[in-house]
Amino acid sequence: MKRIKRSWALIFIASGMLLTSCVDEQNFDQYDDLRITPIVEGSILYVESPERLINSANGVDFFSQDFNFDAFAEDYVAERVLNGTVTYIIENTTSKELDVLVEFLDEGGTVLDSELFLIPPAPTALLQREVNYGTASGKSIDIIKNTSSIKVSVRNLGDNTSVSNLSDPKVILKSSGKFRVGLK
C-alpha cells in the first residue's frame, strides 16, 4: 500500500513539473527571416599562347576569340546575383610587349564593359587586377547579369622575330569570378 501511495505521489509531482516546465513558444515565421547568400566561385577564362605562335602571326593582332558566357543566362540566377569580383591574372614570359583587351558582350554583340591590360615584355611580374561589380565602389552588377559572351583580343606591340631567352616563353591570361548570390 505504501508503494502505491509513493508511486501516486511521484506521478503527481512529475505531472506537476511537466505542466509547469518552461517551454518556448514555437516561431514558425523564422523561415521568412532567413537569408541565404552563398559565395559562388569559378573559373571564367584561360587563354595561353606560346611565343612562336605570336611570331608566326602577320600584323599586330595575333589573337581574337569570343567565348560563350552563360553563367547568368537563367533569369532565376541573374535576379539573385548581388555583387561579385572578377579577377584577372596575366603572365608574360615572351619578349613581346602586348596589350590585352577583354570585352563583356550582350546577346546582340554590344560591349557592356571592357578591361585593357598593357603588358611589358619579360621579365615581368605577374599582373593581377580585381574588378568589382555591384558594390558602391564598383561597376554595375547588370554588366555581369547581361553578359552573353566574352571577347579576348591580344595585340603584339613588339616585333615578330625576337625570342625570349626564358624556357617555354608564353603569355597566359586567366580569370575567375566570385559572386554573392541571394538564394532566399
Side-chain angles (χ1 to χ4, degrees):
M1 192 58 132
K2 277 185 171 183
R3 284 188 178 169
I4 295 175
K5 286 183 182 178
R6 244 191 253 161
S7 296
W8 280 106
L10 287 173
I11 292 172
F12 180 72
I13 292 171
S15 297
M17 289 174 63
L18 286 173
L19 291 174
T20 60
S21 65
C22 297
V23 176
D24 286 338
E25 188 176 319
Q26 295 297 312
N27 179 0
F28 294 104
D29 294 328
Q30 291 174 341
Y31 178 77
D32 295 333
D33 299 334
L34 184 64
R35 298 288 176 248
I36 302 173
T37 54
I39 295 176
V40 179
E41 188 170 359
S43 178
I44 297 175
L45 291 173
Y46 182 91
V47 179
E48 181 178 309
S49 178
E51 187 172 48
R52 64 179 163 64
L53 184 63
I54 298 170
N55 280 339
S56 67
N58 293 329
V60 294
D61 293 330
F62 80 89
F63 181 83
S64 183
Q65 178 77 39
D66 285 10
F67 298 92
N68 188 35
F69 184 76
D70 287 332
F72 304 112
E74 294 295 324
D75 289 340
Y76 176 81
V77 178
E79 292 169 357
R80 287 166 174 73
V81 176
L82 303 173
N83 57 39
T85 302
V86 175
T87 302
Y88 300 93
I89 299 174
I90 301 176
E91 181 180 6
N92 183 16
T93 57
T94 72
S95 63
K96 314 295 181 218
E97 181 179 3
L98 305 168
D99 78 11
V100 177
L101 178 64
V102 178
E103 298 174 300
F104 289 78
L105 309 171
D106 67 9
E107 286 184 11
T110 304
V111 176
L112 302 173
D113 191 25
S114 63
E115 289 293 322
L116 178 64
F117 304 89
L118 298 173
I119 313 298
T124 184
L126 207 61
L127 175 88
Q128 182 170 333
R129 182 183 301 172
E130 292 184 352
V131 181
N132 295 313
Y133 294 89
T135 62
S137 62
K139 298 178 179 185
S140 171
I141 193 66
D142 289 335
I143 293 169
I144 296 297
K145 289 179 178 183
N146 294 311
T147 296
S148 176
S149 63
I150 300 172
K151 182 176 185 172
V152 177
S153 303
V154 183
R155 293 178 359 144
N156 176 6
L157 303 177
D159 60 37
N160 289 71
T161 57
S162 63
V163 177
S164 173
N165 57 2
L166 298 173
S167 65
D168 194 26
K170 58 186 151 193
V171 61
I172 299 171
L173 164 67
K174 298 185 269 188
S175 69
S176 63
K178 185 186 290 189
F179 298 95
R180 223 168 46 94
V181 181
L183 297 181
K184 167 74 179 84

